């Protein structure tokens, strides 16, 4: 089972905002991705789940003017970006011509 503390924070926030339907969708998405963990690896699954959470928070930012939504969005966005860097292919440096 993939454990992501930010997802638990999001569930709590959703509960406080009365967004029970989104909690169910989030939990469903997490379960679906956990099934892929053995094929893709834990960090890959975390990036996927955090990306989904980031999308939910983008919508919530528009719906609510709650600073907790923005703060959690920033936290999840940063965490996802950090993990995402591990999956980027390294750039191949172009041959530089010497003067």
């Amino acid at each position: 089972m993939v454990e992501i503390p930010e997802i638990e924070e999001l569930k709590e926030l959703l509960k406080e905002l009365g967004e029970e339907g989104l909690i169910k969708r989030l939990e469903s998405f997490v379960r679906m991705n956990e099934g892929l963990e053995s094929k893709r690896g834990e960090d890959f699954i975390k990036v996927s789940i955090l990306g989904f959470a980031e999308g939910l928070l983008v919508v919530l930012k528009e719906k609510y003017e709650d600073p907790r939504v923005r703060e959690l969005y920033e936290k999840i966005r940063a965490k996802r970006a950090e993990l995402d860097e591990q999956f980027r292919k390294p750039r191949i440096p172009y041959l530089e011509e010497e003067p």
Side-chain angles (χ1 to χ4, degrees):
M1 182 172 172
V2 177
E3 291 188 29
I4 307 171
E6 294 83 1
I7 296 303
E8 296 306 315
E9 287 181 54
L10 178 55
K11 287 180 190 177
E12 283 298 314
L13 180 58
L14 290 170
K15 186 175 181 180
E16 291 173 22
L17 295 173
E19 296 285 354
E20 300 295 330
L22 290 180
I23 294 172
K24 290 177 183 177
R25 284 171 181 73
L26 177 60
E27 289 173 343
S28 176
F29 187 83
V30 169
R31 278 192 307 275
M32 180 182 72
N33 275 274
E34 284 176 342
L36 301 173
E37 185 178 354
S38 63
K39 292 182 180 182
R40 299 288 185 159
E42 185 175 337
D43 286 339
F44 185 86
I45 300 308
K46 285 181 180 180
V47 169
S48 176
I49 293 169
L50 288 169
F52 184 79
E54 187 177 347
L56 284 178
L57 286 161
V58 166
V59 172
L60 292 173
K61 281 190 329 179
E62 297 296 319
K63 188 173 181 180
Y64 299 99
E65 291 188 24
D66 190 322
R68 298 174 300 168
V69 173
R70 185 169 299 284
E71 289 168 12
L72 188 54
Y73 167 76
E74 292 298 330
K75 186 176 183 179
I76 286 178
R77 185 186 62 75
K79 176 89 173 198
R80 185 205 44 80
E82 176 185 316
L83 286 171
D84 194 41
E85 278 296 313
Q86 296 176 16
F87 298 102
R88 294 198 185 275
K89 292 182 181 179
R91 288 185 145 178
I92 299 173
Y94 293 102
L95 295 175
E96 294 181 17
E97 294 182 31
E98 293 185 31

